[in-house]
Amino acid sequence: MSSGRAEKPLPDIPEDDGSRDDEKGFGNVFAELESVDLSLGTTLRSVYDDQPNAHKRFMEKLEVRIRNHDREIEKMCNFHHQGFVDAITELLKVRADAEKLMGQVTDTNRRLQDTGREVTAQTEEVIRCRIQQRNMTTTVERLQLCIPVLEMYSKLKEQLESKRHYAALKTMEQLEKVFIPRVSRYRFCQIMADNLPKLREDIKDISMSDLKDFLESIRKHSDKIGETAMKQAQQHRTFNSVVQKQDSGMGYTKPVYSLNGRTPTQHNGLAAEEGVEEDQSEEEVLTAQDLVDFSPVYRCLHIYTVLGDRETFENYYRKQRKKQARLVLQPQSNMHETVEGYRRYFNQIVGFFLVEDHVLHSTQGLLTRAFTDELWNMALSKITAVLRTHSSYCSDPDLVLELKNLIVIFADTLQGYGYPVSRLFDLLFEIRDQYNETLLKKWVLVFREIFELDNYSPIPVETEEDYKSVISRFPFHDAEIEKQDFPKKLPMSQSVPQIYVQVKEFIYASLKFSESLHRSWTEIDDMLRKSTNLLLTRTLSGCLQNLIKKPHIGLTELVQIIINTTHLEQACKYLEDFITNITNVSPETVHTTRLYGLSTFKDARHAAEGEIYTKLNQKIDEFIQLADYDWGMPESDGQASGYLMDLINFLRSTFQVFTHLPGKVAQTACMSACKHLSTSLMQMLLDCELKQISMGAVQQFNLDVIQCELFASSEPVPGFQGDTLQLAFIDLRQLLDLFMVWDWSTYLADYGQPTSKYLRVNPSTALALLEKMKDTSKKNNIFSQFRKNDRDKQKLIETVVKQLRSLVNGMSQHS
């Protein structure tokens, strides 16, 4: 504020032209300095850098500039000074009023503060209550939203504890989609939401554990399920067979097995009512669902379906069932030893596939028909391989027959559930061959026992009852024997009716296997005939051949065997009639197989005949070995040798036994024996070890041959014509006559002529015998050379020897 004294204005400094230029130049600098936006450093640098003495001039101009501004400020203050003084005067006047007002205001404010403090406290209390009320309302609203969530979660826990997993999944779904989104901003809801996936996994694990327990349990129950189903099939089979026997026209059909344990059958008229009455007391058959709780499968399937993981469950279930199928199809190593082993094996398989069939029809898509067909085809291949292997170990035909019955029931049971079983019936045809083999082996023992116990003598019949007992077992008819009085004898031995009965028993046994194979009677007839042919041509024929070859079987036994085979051969037509009566297939049918018994018994008879010939020859050889000729004896004893008489007596008694043989057999045996005897005597005479033979020995030998000829002419076996049997000794007779008569001139003259008296004498044979006699003459007649007759005889022998040698040489050259 100015003191009222005005300052003296500064004098103006004259300006020249140079100063104008500086004024103009520094004006810009002052403008920049007065501007608050520009940097002073740059502006001041320009003042000092422009020209010399610029700083001085600048300071001068700055002083001038300051004085100008001071003058303007002074003018401004002088102009407003009076108004300022007036305002101060007015302000002083209102100071007192202001202080008074200030006191009033202060007092009012004090009183207002005292009053408002109580109001403020009450207001704050009201505000606090209102906040509490609002919070409580909000809490109630939020609790009303949260309580259903908590209730649902509590319900979920209860369901999980009670193992109601499917309901728990539904509750989880409601929690996730409905309840939790309403209160999702709360942390406990987030915890719940985070915990639900874990609970789902727990449910999956629990349901899978239940499924595993079910799969383990079903393995234990499969045997019982299969046993029940096969018993049901057996009952229906038995029932149908009884009905068919009672009345083949009642129209009962093949049973169809159902899952509910009832088997529908078709009845006609009154038969239906009778069947209902008979079955009223019959208990309902247990089925798979009665024995096994399938709920774990259904629960697990529903749970995995709800969780969107059905495919995983289906794959796991099928994989596990395939593994179990392989275990079920694996038999025990000793299964073939008992029928119970096979029964357990079939029960397990039936139980397994009945469970699969039930699951297939009670679930949607868990199993498919293609899967079960694939599983069954795999099982069928394994089953046929196992049965083919284990049945080959069976040596007991009864066990094989029981196995066949089990296979038929097994096939029928599974066929009732839609499984194809044709391969099983094809397998039965293979097992039928195995069964026939075991039967044949069993009947080998039967036939051997019959042959061992047979006495090979005609059957004695004391009374009419005994006779009827025999003909009831064997078709024997002989008018001459029937006319005879009792007691009497039948030509065959005890083994004949026994063998005939056993052949019929074999046919029955073979028929048992052919039943229930779903084959026509024509095929069964063919099977019976073929198996019977095997019994006759292989088993019985082999037993007969072995019997005939046994060393203890003598000629009497062989004769009886020939008689037996003759009667068995005649009985073959009755065996064919027996098969025809069983099958009702006419033997005139084109494809009917004929029995080969005729050829079998003919072959056996021929073998027995050959054995008779062989044993006769062996016996003859035994007697020949007893011969003890003195080949140097001067003259004969005048009677036949003792060994030869014994031999002839033996042949006589033997051929008397042959009276029951067919005529040709006895004649052939007799002719064979005589020829062998003749050949043996000739070989004895021409033996290489025999060097010398005297005429006395030849005469003794001639006596023995005469006895042989007498035996042949006595007709030991009837039926020979003329001297046919004597011709067996013709070679010996002509040779001995030649030496006894010493008729060499006739022999040499007629040699080669058909009418020759010594036509059967071979030059080599005559030469060999003559040389033996020539050596004897030389040895025994040393001094005979001095007698003219002896010298002539010796010359004759030498001449004959030369001629015989020439004949022998001629024969060799001609040949």
Side-chain angles (χ1 to χ4, degrees):
M1 179 178 287
S2 176
S3 61
R5 185 180 58 83
E7 292 184 0
K8 184 179 179 179
L10 295 176
D12 295 332
I13 301 175
E15 297 179 356
D16 53 7
D17 295 335
S19 61
R20 290 193 188 95
D21 294 336
D22 293 335
E23 183 70 25
K24 184 177 181 181
F26 287 118
N28 294 331
V29 174
F30 292 147
E32 293 178 359
L33 289 174
E34 293 173 354
S35 177
V36 296
D37 297 332
L38 298 176
S39 175
L40 296 179
T42 304
T43 305
L44 293 176
R45 191 180 299 113
S46 64
V47 173
Y48 289 97
D49 293 343
D50 283 346
Q51 56 189 343
N53 299 322
H55 178 265
K56 183 178 180 182
R57 289 195 300 277
F58 173 73
M59 294 303 295
E60 292 176 354
K61 293 298 182 181
L62 182 60
E63 287 292 334
V64 174
R65 187 80 173 178
I66 291 171
R67 285 198 297 273
N68 289 337
H69 282 294
D70 286 342
R71 284 196 294 272
E72 291 177 0
I73 292 170
E74 185 177 356
K75 288 179 181 180
M76 180 73 67
C77 288
N78 290 333
F79 180 78
H80 292 288
H81 174 69
Q82 188 59 42
F84 178 73
V85 173
D86 294 338
I88 292 299
T89 301
E90 289 294 328
L91 184 60
L92 292 174
K93 290 181 179 180
V94 298
R95 169 182 277 179
D97 295 334
E99 291 178 354
K100 181 179 179 182
L101 180 62
M102 185 65 182
Q104 294 175 352
V105 169
T106 301
D107 184 59
T108 302
N109 180 56
R110 181 182 57 76
R111 288 186 283 108
L112 182 62
Q113 289 295 329
D114 293 338
T115 304
R117 190 175 290 111
E118 183 178 351
V119 174
T120 300
Q122 293 179 354
T123 302
E124 289 178 354
E125 182 66 22
V126 170
I127 292 173
R128 187 177 62 80
C129 291
R130 289 295 178 90
I131 290 173
Q132 289 180 349
Q133 182 181 9
R134 183 182 62 195
N135 290 342
M136 291 173 64
T137 303
T138 304
T139 300
V140 170
E141 292 175 354
R142 297 297 183 267
L143 286 175
Q144 289 177 347
L145 290 176
C146 294
I147 286 175
V149 179
L150 296 174
E151 289 177 347
M152 290 296 291
Y153 195 78
S154 176
K155 179 181 177 182
L156 172 62
K157 288 295 186 180
E158 292 178 358
Q159 291 171 341
L160 290 175
E161 290 177 359
S162 61
K163 295 185 178 181
R164 296 163 55 201
H165 299 126
Y166 184 72
L169 289 176
K170 291 296 184 181
T171 303
M172 288 185 194
E173 185 178 2
Q174 290 180 350
L175 279 172
E176 283 184 330
K177 294 183 178 180
V178 179
F179 292 94
I180 290 181
R182 297 175 183 174
V183 289
S184 59
R185 60 181 176 274
Y186 300 110
R187 190 172 67 176
F188 80 90
C189 290
Q190 187 62 40
I191 295 174
M192 286 183 183
D194 295 340
N195 196 36
L196 291 181
K198 182 179 179 301
L199 293 177
R200 283 194 175 91
E201 291 299 323
D202 292 343
I203 291 175
K204 286 178 65 175
D205 294 341
I206 293 172
S207 61
M208 184 57 70
S209 177
D210 292 342
L211 177 67
K212 291 179 181 178
D213 293 340
F214 166 79
L215 293 175
E216 183 65 26
S217 173
I218 203 66
R219 284 189 58 192
K220 299 176 182 178
H221 289 86
S222 292
D223 184 69
K224 184 62 177 178
I225 296 172
E227 180 183 0
T228 303
M230 291 185 68
K231 282 183 178 178
Q232 180 184 1
Q234 178 64 37
Q235 290 172 359
H236 284 290
R237 172 174 292 280
T238 304
F239 175 75
N240 288 340
S241 63
V242 171
V243 170
Q244 289 176 0
K245 289 179 180 179
Q246 290 178 349
D247 189 351
S248 61
M250 295 301 294
Y252 284 88
T253 60
K254 183 178 179 296
V256 180
Y257 308 108
S258 61
L259 286 173
N260 58 8
R262 300 183 183 276
T263 304
T265 54
Q266 298 178 0
H267 303 274
N268 293 329
L270 183 60
E273 298 176 359
E274 293 176 352
V276 170
E277 292 176 357
E278 291 176 357
D279 294 338
Q280 284 179 350
S281 61
E282 185 177 344
E283 296 181 358
E284 184 175 353
V285 181
L286 294 177
T287 59
Q289 61 267 35
D290 297 325
L291 298 172
V292 178
D293 180 15
F294 287 90
S295 58
V297 179
Y298 304 144
R299 284 198 303 268
C300 200
L301 176 62
H302 291 160
I303 288 170
Y304 273 77
T305 302
V306 170
L307 296 177
D309 205 8
R310 180 188 177 105
E311 184 177 357
T312 300
F313 172 74
E314 290 178 355
N315 293 336
Y316 176 82
Y317 181 84
R318 295 178 185 181
K319 182 179 179 181
Q320 293 302 315
R321 290 300 281 169
K322 276 188 176 181
K323 289 182 179 179
Q324 289 189 343
R326 293 187 179 94
L327 292 176
V328 167
L329 296 172
Q330 189 67 32
Q332 295 182 351
S333 58
N334 61 343
M335 182 179 72
H336 60 276
E337 295 179 358
T338 62
V339 70
E340 290 301 322
Y342 288 106
R343 182 174 284 110
R344 285 193 298 270
Y345 182 68
F346 288 134
N347 288 343
Q348 291 177 357
I349 296 174
V350 170
F352 178 90
F353 282 99
L354 260 62
V355 169
E356 293 304 279
D357 182 79
H358 180 74
V359 173
L360 172 67
H361 289 89
S362 61
T363 59
Q364 296 295 328
L366 177 57
L367 295 179
T368 62
R369 176 56 67 181
F371 173 79
T372 55
D373 289 345
E374 178 187 357
L375 201 61
W376 172 243
N377 288 331
M378 181 270 290
L380 200 55
S381 300
K382 180 67 175 178
I383 292 168
T384 53
V386 166
L387 294 179
R388 188 177 291 113
T389 300
H390 282 264
S391 64
S392 64
Y393 300 148
C394 295
S395 57
D396 182 5
D398 295 332
L399 179 58
V400 179
L401 183 61
E402 291 182 345
L403 172 60
K404 168 258 176 183
N405 293 330
L406 281 177
I407 294 176
V408 171
I409 298 172
F410 172 74
D412 287 348
T413 304
L414 289 175
Q415 190 176 29
Y417 287 91
Y419 294 101
V421 294
S422 58
R423 289 169 61 184
L424 289 175
F425 285 100
D426 294 339
L427 174 65
L428 284 174
F429 278 90
E430 299 180 24
I431 298 179
R432 181 201 64 190
D433 297 335
Q434 173 70 19
Y435 175 71
N436 286 336
E437 288 297 324
T438 58
L439 283 181
L440 293 175
K441 291 179 181 178
K442 178 179 179 180
W443 256 256
V444 166
L445 302 177
V446 172
F447 289 147
R448 286 178 180 175
E449 183 179 4
I450 290 174
F451 290 141
E452 288 176 0
L453 299 178
D454 193 10
N455 57 8
Y456 298 99
S457 59
I459 301 175
V461 179
E462 300 293 336
T463 62
E464 181 73 22
E465 288 74 14
D466 294 340
Y467 181 76
K468 290 181 179 179
S469 174
V470 174
I471 63 175
S472 66
R473 293 180 292 135
F474 182 76
F476 174 77
H477 302 286
D478 190 313
E480 294 183 0
I481 293 179
E482 289 178 356
K483 294 177 181 179
Q484 296 177 3
D485 296 330
F486 293 99
K488 54 188 174 181
K489 291 184 178 181
L490 303 182
M492 64 280 191
S493 66
Q494 288 287 353
S495 63
V496 173
Q498 292 175 355
I499 289 174
Y500 183 80
V501 169
Q502 287 301 321
V503 172
K504 293 171 67 176
E505 289 296 328
F506 177 87
I507 294 173
Y508 277 128
S510 182
L511 177 64
K512 288 180 181 179
F513 195 95
S514 301
E515 293 175 342
S516 306
L517 293 185
H518 306 298
R519 298 291 173 174
S520 66
W521 280 110
T522 302
E523 293 175 295
I524 294 176
D525 181 87
D526 185 65
M527 287 187 284
L528 290 179
R529 292 177 183 272
K530 287 182 178 179
S531 59
T532 306
N533 277 332
L534 285 176
L535 177 72
L536 297 176
T537 60
R538 196 171 75 184
T539 304
L540 182 55
S541 176
C543 291
L544 285 171
Q545 297 291 342
N546 292 332
L547 175 67
I548 292 169
K549 298 296 183 182
K550 285 185 177 181
H552 69 274
I553 297 297
L555 291 172
T556 304
E557 288 81 3
L558 289 172
V559 170
Q560 188 61 54
I561 290 173
I562 292 176
I563 296 172
N564 290 347
T565 55
T566 302
H567 287 283
L568 287 172
E569 179 182 344
Q570 295 171 355
C572 282
K573 62 179 181 179
Y574 297 100
L575 290 176
E576 290 197 350
D577 294 341
F578 177 72
I579 296 176
T580 301
N581 292 333
I582 292 176
T583 61
N584 291 324
V585 176
S586 174
E588 285 75 20
T589 306
V590 177
H591 302 289
T592 300
T593 304
R594 310 300 298 180
L595 292 184
Y596 302 145
L598 299 178
S599 59
T600 297
F601 297 121
K602 284 181 179 179
D603 293 342
R605 189 160 57 252
H606 292 160
E609 293 170 3
E611 193 66 19
I612 287 177
Y613 307 150
T614 301
K615 287 187 179 295
L616 271 176
N617 294 340
Q618 291 174 352
K619 200 66 178 178
I620 291 172
D621 291 339
E622 292 176 5
F623 280 102
I624 293 295
Q625 290 175 1
L626 298 176
D628 187 17
Y629 286 103
D630 181 7
W631 298 107
M633 61 192 309
E635 58 183 14
S636 67
D637 294 338
Q639 59 182 3
S641 302
Y643 85 92
L644 188 68
M645 297 307 296
D646 293 339
L647 172 58
I648 291 175
N649 292 331
F650 165 76
L651 291 177
R652 288 185 187 279
S653 62
T654 299
F655 291 138
Q656 287 178 357
V657 179
F658 287 6
T659 54
H660 296 293
L661 287 176
K664 292 183 179 180
V665 177
Q667 293 171 10
T668 304
C670 187
M671 177 60 74
S672 173
C674 291
K675 286 183 177 181
H676 184 72
L677 177 58
S678 175
T679 303
S680 298
L681 292 174
M682 181 69 77
Q683 290 175 352
M684 184 190 304
L685 199 61
L686 301 177
D687 188 3
C688 295
E689 296 181 0
L690 179 60
K691 302 299 182 181
Q692 298 172 350
I693 299 178
S694 67
M695 181 57 68
V698 172
Q699 292 172 353
Q700 182 65 40
F701 200 81
N702 181 56
L703 292 175
D704 293 341
V705 173
I706 291 174
Q707 291 298 322
C708 292
E709 291 172 332
L710 291 174
F711 169 75
S713 62
S714 66
E715 196 176 8
V717 173
F720 285 107
Q721 296 180 356
D723 56 354
T724 303
L725 192 57
Q726 291 175 278
L727 293 177
F729 301 96
I730 189 65
D731 293 352
L732 272 174
R733 171 47 49 210
Q734 291 185 7
L735 178 63
L736 292 174
D737 284 350
L738 176 61
F739 278 86
M740 294 292 294
V741 179
W742 206 255
D743 193 9
W744 293 105
S745 57
T746 304
Y747 174 76
L748 294 173
D750 296 340
Y751 178 75
Q753 300 295 327
T755 58
S756 174
K757 182 180 178 182
Y758 306 103
L759 180 63
R760 306 299 295 270
V761 178
N762 191 291
S764 59
T765 303
L767 177 61
L769 183 57
L770 188 59
E771 287 182 339
K772 294 177 187 294
M773 295 184 67
K774 173 184 174 184
D775 294 337
T776 304
S777 299
K778 289 182 179 180
K779 178 179 178 182
N780 295 334
N781 299 305
I782 299 176
F783 301 102
S784 63
Q785 56 183 334
F786 299 106
R787 295 194 294 270
K788 184 176 183 300
N789 292 335
D790 294 331
R791 289 197 308 272
D792 294 340
K793 186 176 181 180
Q794 189 67 29
K795 290 180 181 179
L796 177 60
I797 291 175
E798 292 176 355
T799 302
V800 172
V801 167
K802 290 179 181 179
Q803 292 180 352
L804 289 174
R805 285 177 179 170
S806 64
L807 290 176
V808 172
N809 293 332
M811 290 175 60
S812 61
Q813 291 177 359
H814 180 70
S815 60

